[in-house]
Structures are given as C-alpha cells and as structure tokens.
Amino acid sequence: MPTDISPESADSASVGEAAYRRIRSDIVLGRLTPGRRLPLERMKEAYGASVSTLRELFNRLATEGLLVAEGSRGFQVTAVSSANLRDVASMRLLLEGHGLKESFLRGDLEWEGRVVSAHHKLATMEKKMAVNDPYPAETWRQYDWAFHLALISACGSDLLLQTYTSICDKYLRYQMIASIFRGQEAADEHRVLLESALARDWRRAQQTLTTHVDECVTQMASVLDAA
C-alpha cells in the first residue's frame, strides 16, 4: 500500500542520508581517526544534523563495524589493528577471488570495456605517481577500487557485490591510514589482472590477486605495528 510522506519527513530523511554519507566517508578515508570519540553535541555542528538523527546514524555505522557504541559515553571510531586488517583482507580475497572466476566466465564485450576503461585511469595515475607528480590519495584509491570492482562486475551476484563493497570500504580505510604505495610492482600486478581478464584466465588472475593483496597487507601491517 502506498504511504504518504510529508515534505518535512522527506527533508529530514534527505538531511540524514547526506550526513550518513559524509560521516561514513570521513571514517573510511581516515579523516575521523581510529579511536576518536564522537560527542553527539559537537558532531551535530560538524554534520548539520540533530542529536537524535546523529544517534540513529551512529548506531547504523556501528552495525557496519565502523563505530563502537559506548553506552552513555556515546560513540567511538573503531580502532585498527594488524590482526583485523588480515581478517578484512582474507574476506576480500575470498569474495574477489570467487567474483573474478564468475565474472571472467560471464563477462561480455560491455564488461571488457568497463575493465579496460577503469585500468586506463588507474594506470595513468600510477605513472604520474611513479615520477612523484602530486596526486590526491583519495582519487588514486578511487581508481584502484573502481578497477577491482570492474573486474568482478559481471559475476552475476548483487549480494556478492554489495558485501564486497562493504569489505573493501574497511580495506580502503586501512590503505588510507597506512598510506602505502607499492609503485611499479603494484602497477605490474594490475596490468596482469587486465591481461588475465581479456584472456578470461581466472586462475592466473586469482594467483595475481593473492600476491597483490598479501604484499600490500604485509606493508600495511608493518606500519600499524610500528605505530
């Protein structure tokens, strides 16, 4: 049955959703640092939302594992650790590895076009970074994520893609915090993934992906442990 929604309710929902996206982005991109407490009164000024709306959004983010509810003390940005990083990376490999196989078997010409386009943007950015050109880390990571997502975009499972996106947000958070750039080695692995996609060689792609993620995790864990 259709439900009538008042303009006031719609405006409130719109404000809440916009605030949710901003807060989530600030956590994932490391602007809200791990362990930081988020007093509701102070945060309502930063995000332009009421205390009740923020509490609802913070609870939503807590269910996603990005915030921790502290009862009467409010909320805190979830801490990071090398153990949790490895857990997140393991789940990413499980989902992306399966997605690669299914996508390579199902992918059509449109899918190939998405993969080639996404790789071109990423490779261009990586070439600039290799010669120390200034670059915005958020754009680089956006291109990196877009390429990996394009590779599995023809897997045929919306649930896999949704779960993968959630896991990769957690993985991206670690990338932004550790600020690791593996240079030509990572660029070469991306090129192999592209070649494997066009050749529909999912086994080679899975092997390359494992190396790609494991090497990055090793470096990020080293940074976290040192800190």
Side-chain angles (χ1 to χ4, degrees):
M1 180 181 296
T3 302
D4 292 332
I5 301 177
S6 68
E8 292 80 6
S9 298
D11 289 344
S12 177
S14 178
V15 169
E17 191 61 30
Y20 166 78
R21 289 195 297 269
R22 282 185 58 204
I23 299 165
R24 196 177 194 285
S25 177
D26 284 348
I27 296 171
V28 170
L29 296 177
R31 300 187 192 111
L32 291 175
T33 55
R36 175 174 171 179
R37 286 190 167 83
L38 305 178
L40 291 170
E41 287 292 338
R42 194 178 304 167
M43 292 298 104
K44 75 176 184 179
E45 300 295 333
Y47 293 104
S50 67
V51 167
S52 60
T53 296
L54 279 180
R55 184 178 289 108
E56 180 182 341
L57 299 180
F58 284 0
N59 277 311
R60 180 177 171 187
L61 289 163
T63 65
E64 296 179 35
L66 295 174
L67 291 181
V68 176
E70 298 187 301
S72 61
R73 299 175 64 186
F75 296 83
Q76 183 180 30
V77 180
T78 301
V80 294
S81 69
S82 57
N84 179 254
L85 166 61
R86 291 188 174 93
D87 195 23
V88 170
S90 178
M91 183 59 67
R92 175 189 169 177
L93 281 173
L94 181 66
L95 293 168
E96 190 169 345
H98 179 69
L100 285 172
K101 178 180 178 181
E102 294 301 314
S103 197
F104 284 22
L105 294 174
R106 298 167 179 263
D108 56 14
L109 189 59
E110 293 297 322
W111 167 75
E112 287 187 8
R114 292 197 299 272
V115 171
V116 170
S117 175
H119 180 266
H120 172 71
K121 293 177 182 178
L122 176 59
T124 300
M125 177 68 75
E126 288 173 332
K127 288 177 182 177
K128 292 181 179 180
M129 294 168 64
V131 295
N132 296 318
D133 275 3
Y135 68 93
E138 293 176 15
T139 301
W140 163 40
R141 289 304 182 191
Q142 177 186 352
Y143 287 164
D144 180 73
W145 181 83
F147 173 61
H148 284 274
L149 182 62
L151 286 168
I152 67 169
S153 63
C155 69
S157 171
D158 289 339
L159 179 58
L160 186 149
L161 293 173
Q162 291 167 6
T163 308
Y164 174 78
T165 298
S166 176
I167 289 296
C168 279
D169 279 347
K170 294 181 173 65
Y171 189 85
L172 172 60
R173 182 170 174 244
Y174 278 99
Q175 288 180 307
M176 295 300 294
I177 292 169
S179 189
I180 293 297
F181 175 53
R182 294 173 52 236
Q184 190 59 46
E185 185 178 13
D188 289 343
E189 289 159 1
H190 286 144
R191 178 182 49 78
V192 172
L193 287 171
L194 171 66
E195 293 172 352
S196 300
L198 297 179
R200 307 304 172 96
D201 188 346
W202 57 266
R203 292 182 179 84
R204 185 188 184 202
Q206 287 180 339
Q207 292 171 355
T208 301
L209 176 68
T210 298
T211 299
H212 185 67
V213 173
D214 284 351
E215 290 296 325
C216 188
V217 167
T218 296
Q219 292 190 25
M220 289 194 290
S222 178
V223 171
L224 293 173
D225 290 339

